[in-house]
Amino acid sequence: NNEEEANVGAVAQNVVGVGTVFIGTKAPYKKVPSGGTIELFTDNSGPKIKGALGVGPTDPNAIASDARSMPNIPTGSQAQVIANNPYIPKSAGGNWTIMDYLPEASRITQKNGTIVINGSAANKYLRGIPSESELNKMGLKLEYNGPLKPKYQNLQFRDSKGKLLEKDGMKTIIFKKVN
């Protein structure tokens, strides 16, 4: 059987602004193949990145519900992890910091893989890049921190209330997994 039971903790995530919280839900999740792309913070319409597997509480085909805990995704197994406009409200345990989900994203990223974070410059989850020491502990190196990369320009980003965000206020942060 390719399914295993995963306990899903409290979380709310958004790409389309839906702040749904699931507490104590049990859901069957399939084992995740290696070398792929995981998109964090997906909503009920699923991943926006072609070929990606989604992680989000309202994504009907999600392979996990909580970007902070993805036990069914093996350590060091994914080529790329993408977080689009990350959001975990305080009521779901979020601390409005990139460190809410970056350690788990780092755990599942394979050596030489990347973690890409796209979002509004106003998004609190894009602020506070970890120090070099903190990044070293996670095996990460900051590769890019600037305007939204062209390959993500076709995506639509929404705030936590569902309002479409302007692209000129968007940015991309890229970390490389170095060990």
Side-chain angles (χ1 to χ4, degrees):
N1 187 334
N2 284 343
E3 295 188 354
E4 60 184 27
E5 290 290 305
N7 286 320
V8 179
V11 68
Q13 300 165 322
N14 115 351
V15 170
V16 297
V18 178
T20 306
V21 178
F22 292 109
I23 301 174
T25 303
K26 269 193 110 150
Y29 291 114
K30 294 181 180 177
K31 290 188 180 184
V32 179
S34 295
T37 299
I38 301 295
E39 184 178 338
L40 307 178
F41 305 100
T42 55
D43 61 18
N44 59 0
S45 63
K48 308 296 183 248
I49 305 298
K50 186 176 181 176
L53 297 173
V55 172
T58 62
D59 180 344
N61 297 308
I63 48 101
S65 288
D66 190 338
R68 298 169 297 173
S69 177
M70 300 176 277
N72 61 315
I73 303 175
T75 297
S77 66
Q78 300 304 303
Q80 188 169 58
V81 176
I82 300 175
N84 286 318
N85 213 29
Y87 180 69
I88 305 168
K90 291 263 188 200
S91 62
N95 294 309
W96 289 349
T97 170
I98 197 170
M99 291 301 285
D100 280 356
Y101 60 92
L102 190 60
E104 184 69 351
S106 176
R107 182 191 68 77
I108 68 170
T109 303
Q110 65 190 27
K111 186 174 181 180
N112 296 317
T114 56
I115 298 170
V116 178
I117 304 167
N118 297 308
S120 163
N123 185 324
K124 294 175 183 176
Y125 284 98
L126 273 73
R127 298 182 194 160
I129 301 287
S131 69
E132 189 173 339
S133 172
E134 290 172 305
L135 290 173
N136 284 338
K137 287 178 187 172
M138 291 183 280
L140 298 175
K141 178 182 173 189
L142 180 63
E143 292 252 307
Y144 179 83
N145 184 5
L148 188 65
K149 288 283 201 175
K151 79 183 277 182
Y152 304 109
Q153 292 285 337
N154 64 333
L155 299 177
Q156 291 190 342
F157 299 93
R158 298 182 185 273
D159 69 12
S160 60
K161 293 182 174 74
K163 181 182 172 195
L164 193 61
L165 298 171
E166 296 293 325
K167 295 271 174 35
D168 60 351
M170 303 302 287
K171 67 184 283 185
T172 298
I173 302 169
I174 300 175
F175 297 100
K176 183 170 186 165
K177 183 77 174 207
V178 293
N179 57 35

